[in-house]
Every structure is written in structure tokens, then in C-alpha cells.
Amino acid sequence: FDAAQPATPAFVQRAQAFVAGLRADGGTEMAAPLHAALTTPAAEGYLKQVVFITDGSVGNEAALFELIHQHLGDARLFTVGI
């Protein structure tokens, strides 16, 4: 999706179908999705929390830290490496 969607059964089903069709094929592009998550405003009255999960090694750590530094603001960022 281009933006956050409610977790209705229809949206969950579409998301699960999308994920089921993915095939791992190389490196993990982290900058673009992290930028999208950090620059999308939180809903009024809510604190933005981003959970970033990856199974890949981070190759451009310095650039990602700079992106986080520029766009984190009041958001909370949780990183998980699997």
C-alpha cells in the first residue's frame, strides 16, 4: 500500500497475498521504506512507532543513521535483526 491502512479482514488478506507472492532475490533495500515510515505523519493524537525488522545485513549504516537523525523527530524507532 502507498499509505497505512486499517487492519480490516480485507486489507489483511490483500497484504498476506502480497507477502505470499514475494521471492527473496538479493540485497535488502532499507533506505526507501525507512524514509517512508519516518516521514509519514502520525495520526492526530497518536505517537508514531516504527518497528523495523530485517533479515539482511546493513551495508549503508552511516547513511541510514543520518536518515534517522534527520527524520525521527518525536517518533519511536525499534529495530530487530533476524
Side-chain angles (χ1 to χ4, degrees):
F1 306 106
D2 290 335
Q5 300 297 322
T8 64
F11 279 121
V12 170
Q13 184 178 18
R14 285 180 57 194
Q16 288 173 332
F18 175 80
V19 170
L22 292 175
R23 298 291 170 249
D25 182 358
T28 303
E29 172 54 45
M30 299 180 195
L34 187 57
H35 182 268
L38 293 177
T39 58
T40 301
E44 184 68 31
Y46 287 87
L47 173 67
K48 182 187 338 186
Q49 298 185 57
V50 177
V51 180
F52 188 78
I53 303 171
T54 180
D55 66 348
S57 66
V58 178
N60 57 340
E61 234 176 47
L64 293 175
F65 281 129
E66 181 60 27
L67 181 111
I68 293 165
H69 177 74
Q70 290 177 0
H71 299 289
L72 184 62
D74 292 335
R76 304 297 185 261
L77 174 64
F78 303 92
T79 60
V80 180
I82 299 174

